[in-house]
Amino acid sequence: MKKSKKSQKGVTSNDKNKGMGKEKEREKKSSSLESGSYNYKMFSFFNRKFKINEVEPPSDVNKAFSLFTGDGSTHMTAEQLRRFMSVHQCEVSTRLEDAQNIIEQVVNRRHHITKFARHTLNIEDFFYFLLSDDLNGPIRTQVHHDMSAPLSHYFIYTGHNSYLTGNQLSSDCSEVPIIKALQNGVRVIELDLWPSKDEILVLHGRTLTTPVSFIQCLTSIKEYAFVSSPYPVIITLEDHLTPELQAKAADMITQTFETMLYYPESYLTEFPSPESLKYRIMISTKPPKEYLEVRSKDASEDESSPKDDSDASESDQEDEDFKSLQAGVSGYKRLITIHAGKPKGSLKTALKEVTDQVRRLSLSEHQLEKLASSHGLDIVRFTQRNILRVYPKGTRFTSSNYKPTIGWMHGAQMVAFNMQGYGKSLWLMHGMFRANGGCGYVIKPDILTRSADELFDPKATLLPVQKTLKVKIYMGDGWRLDFKHTHFDAYSPPDFYTKIFIVGVPADEAKKKTKIIEDDWCPVWDEEFSFPLTVPELALLRIEVREYDMSEKDDFGGQTCLPVPELRTGFRSVPLHDKKGVKHKNVRLLMRFEFV
């Protein structure tokens, strides 16, 4: 039957194009859900009715319910739910009050009964609880990493050209994408500063992008810096300003942020911790060019040479202007907490150079790949004390992104991404920074911060398996609530399948795929997969649901990405997101995670 249906889709592709004008009318006539079925129109006159299968608990859920209720009971008490959470879900700290609170919320949502009316769950309530991602999500939603280590010990959620609304060549510059990034937990905002007479503008230089004022960006950062996380925001400046405008920029920064601004009295020998910098804003850029030394030398030479009285007033004015300029630029330099800059020698030399002062080094994605092939250990060693920023290559005009894992494998803290784009690489970035409660700081694994004689080698291939992740995908639900019933197929319910990926070190990369479930809005796969992991600390689990189409490209049904070290074992509700990373309201999968 399915083959016939898909053949019809292929044969009638031209008919579908011709009938686009009538599509809205067809949808209007067949969009109502009646008697537990959907009606689809074929060729505008054949009516096809598909029954909606009732979503039922998988057999594993029924078994778990029976195991913890015992004696054939049809209801689960708070104490029994607490035991289930502690034993099966491995949430050993669950208290009786926590279990009672879950029961109250489930009963209120499902039955609209006051919390005093019922204190137990039936099997349908229990299943509802397991499918509720806010009550039973796949990862913890609170900050739980040690936040007292130096900044160099964390991966930091980092944006690239944070002011752009679209592509790198002709899109608008605006404070809006900066605000959105901060709302999503990004902690590093990049601004490119360019002069325009006496004004400071933010834009992508030497392109057709329209500018936005520097002060407007600063004001937005101040207002939204800590709406999603209390941990520090770092502003990286790509500075193309004149010395006069650098002094003006310093005034803008200090007047806008006031006491929120953090800067040390002298060069840092170790970066402070995120915990010590809560609700603070820092500046990272190259120090101003050392032109002042040259000007000072010229001034001293002028003083030794004879002057006419007629030149005295003009010379005095120049001296006053120079002193004022010197003070202004010195103030700008003083605001820089994380000093950046290109090495005087080769990159290889810079990585090996040992200094008392900590600093930031920036590499393009291409430079990192090239350097990692021969000096991977040096990069890891460098990032133990210093900060490495990686940015997209200049040819990514469409605001696409690169694969971030190579940066993370080498300890790079600031893997800078175009947050205004979307795609699989950005999904990985979202996944990494869902860790640690989404606060924007993820502590690096011990393998990247331990002593020099035990350095992690990113190129190592013969590593032993540390643990195996077992993933069971039971079912999916919610598409019929979030999409029109003809969204995936004009003539029948969708044919969903799921792809599961492990992304991390090369030895751990893997891909699995479920069978296709035909004509069902609530697909039940009930399949299990195993993933042996050599470096589980750096692994991400990427999940993508597709709708099979024989004649055209498979439709997109949702995705998510989760940090493997953060996965909570047991039954879990996994919410799915759209291509841009926005969470669907109802679409989720019921899965089970286990480490062996």
Side-chain angles (χ1 to χ4, degrees), residues 155 405 408-411 432 444-445 447-448 456 503-505 508 535-540 564-565:
F155 297 127
T405 49
W408 293 329
M409 285 164 48
H410 289 82
M432 168 62 82
K444 295 197 286 189
I447 58 173
L448 292 173
F456 171 68
V503 182
V505 299
D508 293 344
V535 189
E537 302 95 328
L538 292 173
L540 295 170
V564 168

Side-chain angles (χ1 to χ4, degrees), residues 75 103 107 111 113-122 125:
H75 285 80
I103 291 176
V107 170
H111 307 287
I113 300 175
T114 62
K115 62 182 180 180
F116 304 106
R118 213 177 86 190
H119 301 279
T120 60
L121 300 178
N122 59 32
D125 297 329

